[in-house]
Amino acid sequence: MPEFDFESLKSRYSRFLSKRDCSKTLIKFWDAPQGDVIEMAGGMPNAGFFPVDSIDVHVCDKPFGQRSEDGLVAHMDRNEPSDMPLSTSLQYTNTEGMEPLLKFARNLTQKIHPPAYDGWDACLVMGSSDGLYKVFEVLCDEDSTVMMEEFTFTPVISSVKIQGGHVVPVKMQLSADPKMQGIDVGLMEEMLDNWHVGPYKHLNKPKALYTVATGQNPTGMTLSAEKRKQIYRLAQKHDFLIVEDDPYGYLFFPPYDAENPLKNAYWEQDSSLTPQKYIDEFLVKSFVTIDTDARVIRLETFSKMFAPGLRLSFVVANKFFTERVVNIGEVSTRAPSGVSQAVVYTVIRELGKRHAAEYENPIDAMFAGWVEWLMKVAGTYTQRRNIAFKSLYETESYKQGLFKVMEPSAGMFIDLKPVWSQEDLAKADHFDHIMEEMDQLNACLIKSGVQVVLGYRMAVDREASKDTCDFIRVTIAYAKDDEQIVEACHRIGAGFSQFFAQRQK
Amino acid sequence: MPEFDFESLKSRYSRFLSKRDCSKTLIKFWDAPQGDVIEMAGGMPNAGFFPVDSIDVHVCDKPFGQRSEDGLVAHMDRNEPSDMPLSTSLQYTNTEGMEPLLKFARNLTQKIHPPAYDGWDACLVMGSSDGLYKVFEVLCDEDSTVMMEEFTFTPVISSVKIQGGHVVPVKMQLSADPKMQGIDVGLMEEMLDNWHVGPYKHLNKPKALYTVATGQNPTGMTLSAEKRKQIYRLAQKHDFLIVEDDPYGYLFFPPYDAENPLKNAYWEQDSSLTPQKYIDEFLVKSFVTIDTDARVIRLETFSKMFAPGLRLSFVVANKFFTERVVNIGEVSTRAPSGVSQAVVYTVIRELGKRHAAEYENPIDAMFAGWVEWLMKVAGTYTQRRNIAFKSLYETESYKQGLFKVMEPSAGMFIDLKPVWSQEDLAKADHFDHIMEEMDQLNACLIKSGVQVVLGYRMAVDREASKDTCDFIRVTIAYAKDDEQIVEACHRIGAGFSQFFAQRQK
């Protein structure tokens, strides 16, 4: 396994840094206490000034459950837990995150997505939006170009543009075939090989690819291991970094069985789905696992699998890059909320206590407890996916062939595409008016009582994606229960019917 | 009272915005749900996916106390408190902060520091470092100049410099006289009036003054009401903004009584110090209270009076500026931790419950409970100040006239100055070597077993402040108890003795 020390990473990757990052200076006026001294330097209030004696978090160990049956309570006070008591977590803490939680994040990464080199690290950030802002602040200048999947979480574009940078879409294959899904590697290669004569020749060659590689937002597509390797080889050949945003990776869907629509591999009785099998066979390996060059920056968040209100994510990258990200925090946000860190850490620790007997090292028990929770959440999403598919496939408008389902392989989203008639498709200008058409569809869906997202609004370049942006994004994450998903799917069916009825007039 | 609507603020203050701020675009792909629809749009997990059933925060209602005697517990679950239940605070929330806490912040500001115009607002940020970073991102370009007190919390310089901006020190009067303390207004006026022939003529005239106006860090000085008026008039005349950072304002010290050193106005039995008197007579009014132009940006933090680990502050400014600050959050940090917001809100609400009977509106009870807590903390700091002064004045080295105490009027810090001999002062080059001298003093202090901060390390421009940077900053905030403060003061005394003994050799 390649090994990189800090200096070699620095000499290898400094050329990727933005001018703004390079000009950044940290001004510190204090020193760490030296030896056995009374600390009268730092402007920190003693923990005795905090109006909090203790915090008890009653853990809920299954989705949509009440308190766990064995009454798991994450307890914190000025001394507990000993490695992250309130007197620490409510105090000023290290910008990169508190060590016990960082250790957990590193351990999780090593076990699920082991990087292919030595010399990586993790740092905490305030959610992945904050993480991406910092990453692009480290990387982007006015003359920087970042590639993105042609449909993406478009607010990320703002994070590049505020640095003055430019974004360029890469075409995707929107396919049900797991081998085909996601970035069209052939077109990407062609674009890069012919950059200086291509449509983006006025821009510099890309410094980075931003990708949601698993359960992509909004398409639900997942890049196969083979495609990841091909893309990584392109990154080496054309020397760009890969920024992998992975909020949905744990929400992997087993294949849908139309004969047995409610079948759920996560929930089968005598289940053969062990945590190890989930990790080895269900979860798709991150780009970091093939990253022999240390050129991948991975973002993982607690937002989807724990709670968004925590504002807590972590960045995994080579330790030169994590230090740059932390340094931006030093002059801006400082550390993520210590309360959030304490809640996440103690709740996961509590979830792990059931496994305490199995493992010598508490961090392994925490890992086991956390993966168990991830599987419960993924199982519930799979149930929701099943119900949504079943309900959609049962609608009259589906049976009439008015829309198709772009079956996702992971994540929170199901995308639906109207099926245009041969007549429509024969018109040379059909896709010139696609946004107006989709707005019409949207109006019908709202009239039917369902709010969705229009695919074209998530296009990096609407014109460049006009032939494929005719889909709507539906989330199964927010509905209050299965019944509401069924009802929403009926309404969606009704909306499509109304749309096509209206068009015929 | 002047009234400004958003458009008039925009036309008045747009010229202060940085190019980076102006070029910022927010890209949103979703709409707020319209009417009675099922929300299948936003990528938010349902609250049922959060592994938290409820949180109980056991409140400590006096500094260094245990749980409050009447057992105050801030309870949160999916439905409680009704205006900020966990299902909301653990979810994605508004970038500007959750409304109940914002309302509390606005109410607090209106009651203690009522702005002198209509058209202001408040927004939450992730601590004042984050707030200042965002404020200077809104304001500063490569050609921007920001004035700062010559001694300051120097990491703020980084927040200006990362934008490419420049900082310029303004001279201070380091005086025990409350009328004289802080910024030397005469020199400031002279500097501004003669900018184009002065030492900073290569820079643009300042866009803003950054000031810690009360209990200044590191000097403990407080600008009098009269000086604030004079500075405000200068801001009008030379058209700059005032960025007021106020972490220490509530920690006001009553005058020290050498005859009765442990006298503490906060703690007297039959105390005549009511909350109203504390607000009216002790607390120094913010610059916003004289801000008829809407040109002041005020930052108040929960770090010192609640806990730093929350990473929670709020910015008070005209609503055009608060919107700009929030917009930076939209493309970077998003909202502050919902867990932090919930803990602060519910704990203060709990502290207010004792006053529920006195007020019709719960927000007034919260205010009363919070001010009561502030006074308890300020009282404890006053006790610590008293003990520190008494102990310092009792040291041999003080009695021998080896050092002076720069008595602070508020805050966390006490600064001490070595007293140089007439002989030293007569040397033309005495202050040319002042940093080496102070390093020597520091070595003696560390050898005596106490860690302090050197004043010169908090100078904006060491050369420009060389005649007055010969002080050390000592904090009374972090010591674990009164005894440790006494011990630290003894060690400080010993350090000074050793320093001067060494110099004589």
Side-chain angles (χ1 to χ4, degrees):
Chain A
M1 188 183 300
E3 232 183 285
F4 300 101
D5 61 16
F6 188 87
E7 285 309 312
S8 70
L9 290 166
K10 187 174 170 180
S11 72
R12 204 175 169 121
Y13 288 108
S14 284
R15 69 181 188 282
F16 282 92
L17 301 183
S18 66
K19 289 191 296 280
R20 190 167 150 104
D21 184 81
C22 294
S23 73
K24 192 173 70 254
T25 44
L26 295 177
I27 300 173
K28 256 187 93 172
F29 58 82
W30 65 94
D31 296 314
Q34 308 174 25
D36 180 26
V37 293
I38 301 180
E39 159 66 80
M40 301 295 271
M44 305 173 287
N46 186 289
F49 287 108
F50 309 155
V52 172
D53 175 73
S54 57
I55 299 179
D56 289 320
V57 182
H58 297 272
V59 178
C60 191
D61 72 337
K62 52 173 187 266
F64 294 86
Q66 303 297 314
R67 294 184 183 197
S68 70
E69 277 156 36
D70 48 355
L72 297 181
V73 179
H75 175 78
M76 293 161 246
D77 62 29
R78 293 210 170 83
N79 306 307
E80 288 290 324
S82 58
D83 54 351
M84 202 198 272
L86 283 183
S87 49
T88 304
S89 55
L90 291 178
Q91 189 54 272
Y92 290 104
T93 56
N94 287 341
T95 301
E96 67 270 25
M98 283 186 274
E99 191 53 28
L101 188 55
L102 270 179
K103 239 164 105 175
F104 173 79
R106 289 189 203 107
N107 183 272
L108 182 78
T109 304
Q110 186 60 51
K111 280 179 173 144
I112 300 186
H113 299 293
Y117 66 100
D118 264 351
W120 61 277
D121 201 358
C123 65
L124 298 185
V125 288
M126 265 126 279
S128 290
S129 286
D130 177 59
L132 288 166
Y133 176 83
K134 287 173 176 164
V135 164
F136 291 125
E137 173 131 347
V138 166
L139 300 179
C140 285
D141 283 313
E142 295 74 19
D143 59 357
S144 304
T145 307
V146 175
M147 293 178 285
M148 294 186 178
E149 280 128 351
E150 61 176 322
F151 301 106
T152 194
F153 181 66
T154 48
V156 173
I157 299 173
S158 309
S159 306
V160 175
K161 289 204 166 166
I162 197 174
Q163 313 297 341
H166 305 273
V167 295
V168 159
V170 292
K171 296 301 278 181
M172 300 178 75
Q173 289 170 281
L174 305 177
S175 161
D177 180 350
K179 289 203 197 82
M180 305 276 287
Q181 293 191 353
I183 292 173
D184 187 321
V185 183
L187 289 178
M188 187 178 176
E189 181 161 21
E190 206 180 294
M191 175 171 88
L192 288 163
D193 284 348
N194 302 296
W195 190 267
H196 297 297
V197 293
Y200 303 111
K201 60 177 186 244
H202 57 292
L203 301 176
N204 281 331
K205 277 188 77 176
K207 229 179 191 179
L209 164 70
Y210 166 77
T211 175
V212 185
T214 307
Q216 206 260 351
N217 182 6
T219 64
M221 302 286 113
T222 296
L223 285 170
S224 67
E226 185 48 39
K227 275 201 175 186
R228 289 177 200 226
K229 276 184 212 150
Q230 293 165 352
I231 292 169
Y232 193 79
R233 278 195 294 266
L234 283 181
Q236 293 180 305
K237 182 173 168 197
H238 292 280
D239 200 20
F240 59 84
L241 307 176
I242 296 174
V243 179
E244 174 192 74
D245 187 7
D246 191 14
Y248 311 112
Y250 296 116
L251 299 174
F252 180 85
F253 296 134
Y256 178 70
D257 180 353
E259 301 300 304
N260 190 359
L262 296 187
K263 189 175 143 87
N264 186 336
Y266 292 99
W267 285 2
E268 276 156 45
Q269 284 303 322
D270 65 334
S271 178
S272 53
L273 183 57
T274 60
Q276 202 53 53
K277 196 171 164 185
Y278 168 68
I279 294 168
D280 293 341
E281 295 176 26
F282 275 30
L283 301 184
V284 185
K285 293 289 167 209
S286 156
F287 272 105
V288 296
T289 63
I290 53 170
D291 185 17
T292 45
D293 291 354
R295 63 171 71 241
V296 175
I297 299 171
R298 169 179 164 80
L299 292 99
E300 178 168 340
T301 181
F302 288 104
S303 288
K304 311 297 183 186
M305 306 309 291
F306 197 114
L310 297 167
R311 309 314 305 131
L312 208 58
S313 289
F314 57 93
V315 177
V316 170
N318 77 53
K319 54 193 175 191
F320 174 63
F321 281 145
T322 56
E323 189 189 270
R324 304 313 295 185
V325 168
V326 172
N327 281 352
I328 293 190
E330 297 277 9
V331 302
S332 59
T333 55
R334 305 294 177 88
S337 161
V339 191
S340 291
Q341 292 187 60
V343 166
V344 165
Y345 183 69
T346 58
V347 167
I348 295 179
R349 196 168 154 271
E350 206 57 32
L351 289 170
K353 279 196 179 157
R354 289 175 184 159
H355 299 277
E358 301 159 45
Y359 302 97
E360 221 169 305
N361 193 334
I363 205 167
D364 296 323
M366 280 182 71
F367 176 76
W370 180 237
V371 173
E372 207 168 61
W373 170 255
L374 297 177
M375 290 173 70
K376 286 179 190 174
V377 175
T380 309
Y381 274 90
T382 298
Q383 158 84 353
R384 289 176 163 228
R385 186 273 317 250
N386 291 346
I387 285 174
F389 278 14
K390 180 168 182 291
S391 306
L392 289 166
Y393 293 144
E394 283 170 4
T395 58
E396 275 312 301
S397 53
Y398 182 79
K399 288 180 190 159
Q400 289 164 15
L402 302 184
F403 70 90
K404 307 193 279 200
V405 178
M406 291 156 64
E407 296 197 355
S409 49
M412 289 185 158
F413 307 111
I414 299 175
D415 291 357
L416 309 176
K417 238 182 198 315
V419 177
W420 309 108
S421 65
Q422 289 307 324
E423 222 169 282
D424 282 332
L425 295 173
K427 287 182 204 150
D429 66 345
H430 174 64
F431 286 103
D432 292 345
H433 309 290
I434 200 69
M435 292 188 279
E436 292 90 322
E437 293 267 21
M438 295 306 289
D439 287 341
Q440 295 287 337
L441 172 60
N442 195 34
C444 294
L445 290 164
I446 289 171
K447 223 190 271 170
S448 300
V450 67
Q451 180 92 8
V452 303
V453 169
L454 292 174
Y456 79 76
R457 296 187 68 181
M458 301 190 74
V460 173
D461 177 338
R462 291 177 186 182
E463 187 56 28
S465 297
K466 70 178 180 183
D467 293 1
T468 49
C469 74
D470 55 340
F471 64 88
I472 60 168
R473 190 195 80 171
V474 174
T475 178
I476 53 172
Y478 191 64
K480 71 170 195 282
D481 51 27
D482 295 350
E483 287 66 47
Q484 201 178 42
I485 294 176
V486 173
E487 175 60 26
C489 291
H490 290 165
R491 293 182 185 187
I492 289 168
F496 273 105
S497 294
Q498 205 192 347
F499 169 65
F500 279 105
Q502 205 170 279
R503 278 182 94 234
Q504 280 183 330
K505 277 180 210 155
Chain B
M1 187 184 301
E3 233 184 281
F4 301 101
D5 60 17
F6 188 87
E7 286 308 314
S8 70
L9 290 166
K10 187 174 171 180
S11 71
R12 205 175 168 123
Y13 288 109
S14 284
R15 68 181 188 283
F16 283 92
L17 301 183
S18 65
K19 289 191 296 283
R20 190 168 151 104
D21 184 80
C22 294
S23 72
K24 191 174 65 252
T25 44
L26 296 178
I27 301 174
K28 257 187 93 171
F29 59 81
W30 65 95
D31 297 313
Q34 306 174 28
D36 180 27
V37 293
I38 301 180
E39 159 65 83
M40 303 294 272
M44 305 174 287
N46 187 289
F49 287 109
F50 309 156
V52 173
D53 175 73
S54 57
I55 299 178
D56 288 320
V57 182
H58 296 272
V59 178
C60 191
D61 73 337
K62 51 175 190 265
F64 295 85
Q66 301 299 314
R67 294 183 184 199
S68 70
E69 277 156 37
D70 48 356
L72 296 180
V73 179
H75 175 78
M76 292 161 248
D77 61 30
R78 293 211 169 83
N79 307 306
E80 287 291 325
S82 58
D83 55 351
M84 202 198 271
L86 284 183
S87 50
T88 303
S89 55
L90 291 178
Q91 190 52 274
Y92 289 104
T93 57
N94 287 341
T95 302
E96 68 269 26
M98 280 186 275
E99 191 54 28
L101 188 56
L102 270 179
K103 239 163 107 176
F104 174 79
R106 289 189 203 107
N107 183 273
L108 182 79
T109 304
Q110 187 59 50
K111 280 179 173 146
I112 300 186
H113 299 294
Y117 66 99
D118 265 350
W120 61 277
D121 202 358
C123 64
L124 300 184
V125 288
M126 266 124 280
S128 291
S129 286
D130 177 60
L132 289 165
Y133 176 83
K134 286 173 175 165
V135 164
F136 290 125
E137 172 133 346
V138 166
L139 301 178
C140 286
D141 283 313
E142 294 74 21
D143 59 356
S144 304
T145 308
V146 175
M147 294 178 285
M148 295 185 177
E149 281 127 350
E150 60 176 322
F151 301 106
T152 195
F153 180 66
T154 48
V156 173
I157 300 173
S158 310
S159 307
V160 175
K161 289 205 167 166
I162 197 175
Q163 313 297 341
H166 306 272
V167 296
V168 159
V170 292
K171 295 301 279 180
M172 300 178 75
Q173 289 169 281
L174 304 177
S175 161
D177 180 351
K179 289 203 198 81
M180 307 276 286
Q181 293 191 353
I183 291 172
D184 188 320
V185 183
L187 288 179
M188 188 177 176
E189 182 162 19
E190 207 180 293
M191 175 170 88
L192 288 164
D193 285 347
N194 303 295
W195 189 268
H196 297 295
V197 294
Y200 303 111
K201 60 178 185 238
H202 57 293
L203 301 176
N204 281 332
K205 278 189 76 177
K207 228 177 192 182
L209 165 69
Y210 166 77
T211 174
V212 185
T214 307
Q216 207 259 349
N217 182 6
T219 65
M221 302 286 113
T222 296
L223 285 170
S224 68
E226 185 50 38
K227 276 201 174 184
R228 289 177 199 226
K229 276 183 212 150
Q230 293 165 354
I231 292 168
Y232 193 79
R233 278 196 294 268
L234 283 181
Q236 294 180 304
K237 183 173 166 196
H238 293 280
D239 200 20
F240 59 84
L241 306 176
I242 296 174
V243 179
E244 175 192 74
D245 186 7
D246 191 13
Y248 312 111
Y250 296 117
L251 299 174
F252 181 85
F253 297 133
Y256 178 71
D257 179 354
E259 299 300 304
N260 191 359
L262 296 186
K263 188 175 142 94
N264 186 337
Y266 291 99
W267 284 3
E268 276 157 44
Q269 284 303 320
D270 64 333
S271 177
S272 54
L273 182 57
T274 60
Q276 202 53 52
K277 197 171 162 185
Y278 168 69
I279 294 168
D280 293 341
E281 295 176 26
F282 275 31
L283 301 184
V284 185
K285 293 290 168 208
S286 156
F287 272 104
V288 296
T289 65
I290 53 170
D291 185 18
T292 46
D293 291 353
R295 64 169 72 242
V296 175
I297 299 170
R298 170 180 164 78
L299 292 100
E300 179 169 339
T301 180
F302 288 104
S303 288
K304 311 297 183 187
M305 306 309 291
F306 198 114
L310 296 166
R311 309 313 305 131
L312 208 57
S313 289
F314 57 95
V315 177
V316 170
N318 77 53
K319 53 192 173 190
F320 174 63
F321 281 146
T322 56
E323 190 189 90
R324 305 313 295 185
V325 168
V326 172
N327 280 352
I328 294 190
E330 297 276 9
V331 301
S332 58
T333 55
R334 306 293 178 88
S337 160
V339 191
S340 291
Q341 293 187 61
V343 166
V344 165
Y345 183 69
T346 56
V347 167
I348 295 180
R349 195 167 156 274
E350 206 57 31
L351 289 170
K353 280 198 179 155
R354 291 175 184 158
H355 299 276
E358 300 159 45
Y359 302 97
E360 221 169 305
N361 193 333
I363 206 167
D364 295 323
M366 280 182 71
F367 176 76
W370 180 237
V371 173
E372 208 169 60
W373 170 255
L374 298 177
M375 291 173 71
K376 286 178 190 173
V377 175
T380 309
Y381 274 90
T382 299
Q383 158 84 353
R384 289 175 163 228
R385 185 273 319 248
N386 290 345
I387 285 173
F389 279 14
K390 181 168 181 289
S391 307
L392 289 166
Y393 293 143
E394 283 171 3
T395 57
E396 274 313 301
S397 53
Y398 181 80
K399 288 179 190 160
Q400 289 165 15
L402 300 185
F403 70 90
K404 303 194 281 200
V405 177
M406 291 156 64
E407 296 197 354
S409 48
M412 289 184 158
F413 309 110
I414 300 174
D415 291 357
L416 309 175
K417 238 181 197 321
V419 177
W420 309 109
S421 66
Q422 289 307 323
E423 221 169 285
D424 282 330
L425 294 173
K427 287 182 202 147
D429 66 346
H430 174 64
F431 286 102
D432 292 345
H433 310 290
I434 200 67
M435 292 188 280
E436 292 90 324
E437 293 268 19
M438 295 306 288
D439 287 340
Q440 295 287 334
L441 171 59
N442 195 33
C444 295
L445 290 164
I446 289 170
K447 222 190 271 171
S448 300
V450 67
Q451 180 93 7
V452 303
V453 169
L454 292 175
Y456 78 77
R457 294 187 68 180
M458 300 190 73
V460 173
D461 177 340
R462 291 178 185 182
E463 186 56 30
S465 296
K466 71 179 180 183
D467 293 1
T468 49
C469 73
D470 56 339
F471 63 90
I472 59 169
R473 190 194 79 170
V474 173
T475 179
I476 53 172
Y478 192 64
K480 71 171 194 282
D481 51 27
D482 295 349
E483 289 65 47
Q484 200 177 43
I485 294 175
V486 172
E487 175 60 25
C489 291
H490 289 165
R491 294 182 184 187
I492 289 168
F496 274 105
S497 294
Q498 205 192 349
F499 170 65
F500 279 105
Q502 205 171 281
R503 277 183 94 236
Q504 280 183 330
K505 275 180 211 156

